[in-house]
Short mmCIF file of all heavy atoms in Angstrom, two decimals:
data_model
loop_
_atom_site.label_atom_id
_atom_site.label_comp_id
_atom_site.label_asym_id
_atom_site.label_seq_id
_atom_site.Cartn_x
_atom_site.Cartn_y
_atom_site.Cartn_z
N VAL A 103 -9.54 37.05 38.76
CA VAL A 103 -8.29 36.66 38.11
C VAL A 103 -7.97 35.25 38.57
O VAL A 103 -7.85 34.99 39.77
CB VAL A 103 -7.14 37.62 38.46
CG1 VAL A 103 -5.84 37.12 37.84
CG2 VAL A 103 -7.45 39.02 37.97
N ILE A 104 -7.85 34.33 37.64
CA ILE A 104 -7.58 32.94 37.99
C ILE A 104 -6.15 32.81 38.49
O ILE A 104 -5.20 33.21 37.81
CB ILE A 104 -7.83 32.02 36.79
CG1 ILE A 104 -9.33 32.04 36.44
CG2 ILE A 104 -7.37 30.59 37.09
CD1 ILE A 104 -9.68 31.28 35.19
N GLY A 105 -6.00 32.25 39.69
CA GLY A 105 -4.68 32.07 40.29
C GLY A 105 -4.29 30.61 40.34
O GLY A 105 -3.79 30.14 41.36
N MET A 106 -4.53 29.91 39.26
CA MET A 106 -4.18 28.50 39.17
C MET A 106 -3.44 28.27 37.86
O MET A 106 -3.76 28.88 36.84
CB MET A 106 -5.43 27.62 39.23
CG MET A 106 -6.28 27.84 40.47
SD MET A 106 -7.77 26.82 40.43
CE MET A 106 -8.71 27.61 41.75
N ALA A 107 -2.47 27.37 37.90
CA ALA A 107 -1.68 27.11 36.70
C ALA A 107 -2.56 26.59 35.57
O ALA A 107 -2.40 26.99 34.41
CB ALA A 107 -0.58 26.11 37.02
N ASP A 108 -3.50 25.70 35.89
CA ASP A 108 -4.42 25.18 34.88
C ASP A 108 -5.61 26.12 34.78
O ASP A 108 -6.70 25.83 35.28
CB ASP A 108 -4.84 23.76 35.25
CG ASP A 108 -5.69 23.10 34.17
OD1 ASP A 108 -5.98 23.76 33.16
OD2 ASP A 108 -6.07 21.93 34.36
N HIS A 109 -5.40 27.25 34.13
CA HIS A 109 -6.44 28.28 34.08
C HIS A 109 -7.63 27.82 33.24
O HIS A 109 -8.76 28.26 33.47
CB HIS A 109 -5.86 29.58 33.54
CG HIS A 109 -5.35 29.50 32.13
ND1 HIS A 109 -6.15 29.68 31.04
CD2 HIS A 109 -4.10 29.23 31.65
CE1 HIS A 109 -5.43 29.55 29.93
NE2 HIS A 109 -4.19 29.27 30.28
N ARG A 110 -7.41 26.95 32.28
CA ARG A 110 -8.52 26.49 31.44
C ARG A 110 -9.55 25.70 32.26
O ARG A 110 -10.75 25.95 32.17
CB ARG A 110 -7.98 25.62 30.30
CG ARG A 110 -7.28 26.42 29.21
CD ARG A 110 -6.64 25.52 28.17
NE ARG A 110 -6.17 26.27 27.03
CZ ARG A 110 -5.03 26.95 27.02
NH1 ARG A 110 -4.25 26.93 28.09
NH2 ARG A 110 -4.66 27.63 25.94
N THR A 111 -9.08 24.75 33.06
CA THR A 111 -9.99 23.97 33.89
C THR A 111 -10.69 24.85 34.91
O THR A 111 -11.90 24.70 35.16
CB THR A 111 -9.23 22.83 34.59
OG1 THR A 111 -8.66 21.97 33.61
CG2 THR A 111 -10.14 22.03 35.50
N ALA A 112 -9.93 25.78 35.51
CA ALA A 112 -10.52 26.67 36.51
C ALA A 112 -11.60 27.55 35.89
O ALA A 112 -12.68 27.73 36.48
CB ALA A 112 -9.43 27.53 37.14
N ALA A 113 -11.33 28.11 34.71
CA ALA A 113 -12.32 28.97 34.05
C ALA A 113 -13.56 28.16 33.67
O ALA A 113 -14.70 28.63 33.83
CB ALA A 113 -11.71 29.62 32.82
N ALA A 114 -13.36 26.94 33.18
CA ALA A 114 -14.50 26.10 32.81
C ALA A 114 -15.35 25.79 34.03
O ALA A 114 -16.60 25.75 33.94
CB ALA A 114 -14.00 24.82 32.15
N ARG A 115 -14.70 25.57 35.18
CA ARG A 115 -15.44 25.28 36.40
C ARG A 115 -16.30 26.47 36.80
O ARG A 115 -17.47 26.30 37.20
CB ARG A 115 -14.46 24.90 37.52
CG ARG A 115 -15.12 24.47 38.80
CD ARG A 115 -14.17 23.66 39.67
NE ARG A 115 -12.95 24.37 40.02
CZ ARG A 115 -11.72 24.00 39.62
NH1 ARG A 115 -11.54 22.93 38.88
NH2 ARG A 115 -10.66 24.70 39.99
N LEU A 116 -15.76 27.66 36.72
CA LEU A 116 -16.52 28.86 37.07
C LEU A 116 -17.69 29.07 36.11
O LEU A 116 -18.82 29.35 36.52
CB LEU A 116 -15.60 30.08 37.06
CG LEU A 116 -14.49 30.13 38.12
CD1 LEU A 116 -13.61 31.35 37.89
CD2 LEU A 116 -15.06 30.14 39.53
N GLN A 117 -17.38 28.95 34.82
CA GLN A 117 -18.40 29.24 33.82
C GLN A 117 -19.52 28.21 33.82
O GLN A 117 -20.70 28.54 33.64
CB GLN A 117 -17.74 29.35 32.45
CG GLN A 117 -16.83 30.57 32.33
CD GLN A 117 -15.86 30.50 31.17
OE1 GLN A 117 -15.74 29.47 30.50
NE2 GLN A 117 -15.13 31.59 30.93
N SER A 118 -19.17 26.94 34.02
CA SER A 118 -20.18 25.88 33.97
C SER A 118 -21.15 25.96 35.15
O SER A 118 -22.27 25.45 35.08
CB SER A 118 -19.51 24.51 33.94
OG SER A 118 -18.80 24.26 35.15
N SER A 119 -20.71 26.60 36.24
CA SER A 119 -21.59 26.70 37.41
C SER A 119 -22.75 27.64 37.16
O SER A 119 -23.79 27.56 37.83
CB SER A 119 -20.80 27.19 38.62
OG SER A 119 -20.50 28.58 38.51
N GLY A 120 -22.58 28.58 36.22
CA GLY A 120 -23.63 29.54 35.92
C GLY A 120 -23.80 30.63 36.96
O GLY A 120 -24.74 31.42 36.87
N ARG A 121 -22.89 30.69 37.93
CA ARG A 121 -23.06 31.63 39.05
C ARG A 121 -22.20 32.89 38.91
O ARG A 121 -22.30 33.80 39.74
CB ARG A 121 -22.72 30.94 40.38
CG ARG A 121 -23.51 29.66 40.62
CD ARG A 121 -23.08 28.98 41.91
NE ARG A 121 -23.48 29.72 43.10
CZ ARG A 121 -23.05 29.48 44.33
NH1 ARG A 121 -22.16 28.48 44.52
NH2 ARG A 121 -23.46 30.18 45.36
N PHE A 122 -21.36 32.95 37.88
CA PHE A 122 -20.39 34.04 37.79
C PHE A 122 -20.58 34.88 36.52
O PHE A 122 -19.64 35.49 36.02
CB PHE A 122 -18.97 33.47 37.81
CG PHE A 122 -18.63 32.73 39.07
CD1 PHE A 122 -18.88 31.37 39.18
CD2 PHE A 122 -18.09 33.39 40.16
CE1 PHE A 122 -18.58 30.67 40.34
CE2 PHE A 122 -17.80 32.70 41.34
CZ PHE A 122 -18.04 31.34 41.42
N SER A 123 -21.80 34.92 36.01
CA SER A 123 -22.05 35.63 34.75
C SER A 123 -21.79 37.12 34.86
O SER A 123 -21.48 37.79 33.86
CB SER A 123 -23.48 35.37 34.28
OG SER A 123 -24.41 35.79 35.28
N ARG A 124 -21.89 37.67 36.06
CA ARG A 124 -21.67 39.11 36.24
C ARG A 124 -20.21 39.47 36.45
O ARG A 124 -19.86 40.66 36.51
CB ARG A 124 -22.49 39.63 37.42
CG ARG A 124 -22.01 39.14 38.78
CD ARG A 124 -22.96 39.49 39.91
NE ARG A 124 -22.50 38.99 41.20
CZ ARG A 124 -21.96 39.76 42.14
NH1 ARG A 124 -21.82 41.06 41.94
NH2 ARG A 124 -21.58 39.23 43.29
N ASN A 125 -19.36 38.46 36.60
CA ASN A 125 -17.96 38.71 36.92
C ASN A 125 -17.07 38.45 35.71
O ASN A 125 -17.00 37.32 35.21
CB ASN A 125 -17.50 37.80 38.05
CG ASN A 125 -18.33 37.94 39.31
OD1 ASN A 125 -19.21 37.13 39.57
ND2 ASN A 125 -18.06 38.98 40.07
N PRO A 126 -16.36 39.47 35.20
CA PRO A 126 -15.39 39.22 34.14
C PRO A 126 -14.22 38.39 34.67
O PRO A 126 -13.79 38.56 35.81
CB PRO A 126 -14.92 40.62 33.73
CG PRO A 126 -15.23 41.49 34.90
CD PRO A 126 -16.42 40.88 35.59
N ILE A 127 -13.76 37.45 33.86
CA ILE A 127 -12.73 36.51 34.29
C ILE A 127 -11.47 36.70 33.44
O ILE A 127 -11.54 36.76 32.21
CB ILE A 127 -13.24 35.05 34.16
CG1 ILE A 127 -14.47 34.84 35.04
CG2 ILE A 127 -12.14 34.06 34.53
CD1 ILE A 127 -15.15 33.49 34.85
N TYR A 128 -10.32 36.78 34.12
CA TYR A 128 -9.04 36.98 33.45
C TYR A 128 -8.07 35.88 33.91
O TYR A 128 -8.25 35.26 34.96
CB TYR A 128 -8.44 38.35 33.81
CG TYR A 128 -9.35 39.52 33.51
CD1 TYR A 128 -10.32 39.92 34.44
CD2 TYR A 128 -9.25 40.22 32.33
CE1 TYR A 128 -11.17 40.99 34.18
CE2 TYR A 128 -10.08 41.31 32.06
CZ TYR A 128 -11.03 41.68 32.99
OH TYR A 128 -11.86 42.74 32.75
N HIS A 129 -7.04 35.66 33.13
CA HIS A 129 -5.95 34.77 33.54
C HIS A 129 -4.64 35.32 33.01
O HIS A 129 -4.61 36.05 32.00
CB HIS A 129 -6.17 33.35 33.03
CG HIS A 129 -5.94 33.20 31.56
ND1 HIS A 129 -6.93 33.39 30.62
CD2 HIS A 129 -4.81 32.90 30.86
CE1 HIS A 129 -6.44 33.21 29.42
NE2 HIS A 129 -5.15 32.91 29.52
#
């Protein structure tokens, strides 16, 4: 669960790393 006000940038950072494909992401 993204705990940052700018959830879009945070989600993009996680997804672009390619390391979190197994983890569902919510905001």
Side-chain angles (χ1 to χ4, degrees):
V103 176
I104 294 174
M106 304 177 194
D108 186 358
H109 62 86
R110 286 174 171 79
T111 299
R115 185 160 58 245
L116 294 175
Q117 292 163 353
S118 65
S119 74
R121 305 177 70 192
F122 299 90
S123 58
R124 69 189 179 105
N125 303 100
I127 300 173
Y128 304 85
H129 74 271

